[in-house]
């Protein structure tokens, strides 16, 4: 189990950041579990992908993949799990950010999240998500409990399942951005991208 190691890391954080009077000896650090097969990690998305996706949105080159491209940017900017993005309702759009609420986390209650309103090239991602979600919610007569539909933001269509999203994203990256290794992409690639960059820049675990 990874629980002992997780608890150890939290205690170390308390000691180093808050000066908690806890005696921590490196020799007592629990070992990570080696039982079972090692889970294969998703490949982190290169930041260049976010730049190109954002530019494709600005240049109106996404075609039938526009919803997918917007979802890619939302996941990249938020580091949300895909399922958590789809369990979210929007709260407010400000000058600088989009704020949402995930109704159920992974083994924990719901939580607030926010993203920068604009992508790295300047696409107004926040406004695009906000308008689509409100338009669909108004047509339903209630707040829609997922952000992206299978074909478009029109009401009545089912939510993108993660496998469908991955297939659409790979097609978009391959056909529009001409990415040769698009088959490596998954939604989790976007969640890992910025934490991986922070690690490369020697950021602390908390910053990651």
């Amino acid at each position: 189990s990874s629980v002992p190691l997780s608890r150890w890391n939290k205690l170390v954080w308390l000691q180093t950041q808050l000066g908690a009077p806890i005696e921590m000896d490196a020799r007592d650090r629990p070992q990570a579990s080696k039982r079972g097969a090692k889970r294969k990690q998703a490949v982190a998305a290169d930041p260049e992908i976010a730049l190109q996706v954002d530019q494709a949105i600005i240049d109106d080159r996404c075609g039938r993949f526009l919803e997918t491209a917007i979802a890619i940017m939302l996941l990249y900017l938020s580091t949300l799990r895909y399922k958590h993005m789809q369990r979210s309702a929007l709260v407010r759009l400000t000058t600088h950010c989009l704020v949402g609420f995930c109704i159920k986390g992974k083994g924990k209650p719901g939580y607030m999240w926010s993203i920068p309103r604009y992508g790295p090239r300047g696409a107004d991602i926040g406004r695009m998500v906000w308008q689509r979600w409100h338009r669909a919610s108004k047509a339903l007569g209630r707040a829609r409990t997922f952000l992206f539909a299978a074909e478009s933001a029109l009401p009545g269509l089912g939510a993108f399942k993660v496998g469908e999203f991955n297939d659409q994203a790979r097609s978009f990256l391959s056909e529009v951005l001409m990415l040769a290794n698009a088959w490596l992409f998954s939604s989790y690639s976007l969640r890992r991208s910025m934490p991986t960059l922070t690690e490369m820049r020697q950021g602390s675990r908390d910053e990651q």
Side-chain angles (χ1 to χ4, degrees), residues 80-160:
L80 283 170
R81 288 182 171 86
Y82 181 81
K83 287 184 178 180
H84 291 182
M85 179 188 74
Q86 288 293 65
R87 292 175 189 165
S88 293
L90 300 184
V91 177
R92 63 182 177 272
L93 178 68
T94 74
T95 304
H96 301 293
C97 66
L98 173 69
V99 182
F101 178 76
C102 174
I103 62 175
K104 183 178 182 299
K106 185 178 181 181
K108 62 180 181 181
Y111 59 91
M112 301 286 287
W113 55 263
S114 66
I115 65 166
R117 175 170 171 170
Y118 296 93
R121 293 288 193 191
D124 195 347
I125 302 299
R127 180 181 60 81
M128 293 175 184
V129 177
W130 179 261
Q131 289 182 342
R132 283 165 170 74
W133 183 80
H134 269 276
R135 186 164 59 243
S137 295
K138 183 178 180 180
L140 282 175
R142 57 179 172 80
R144 195 171 70 170
T145 55
F146 60 89
L147 294 184
F148 291 93
E151 295 176 24
S152 72
L154 296 175
L157 297 175
F160 258 142

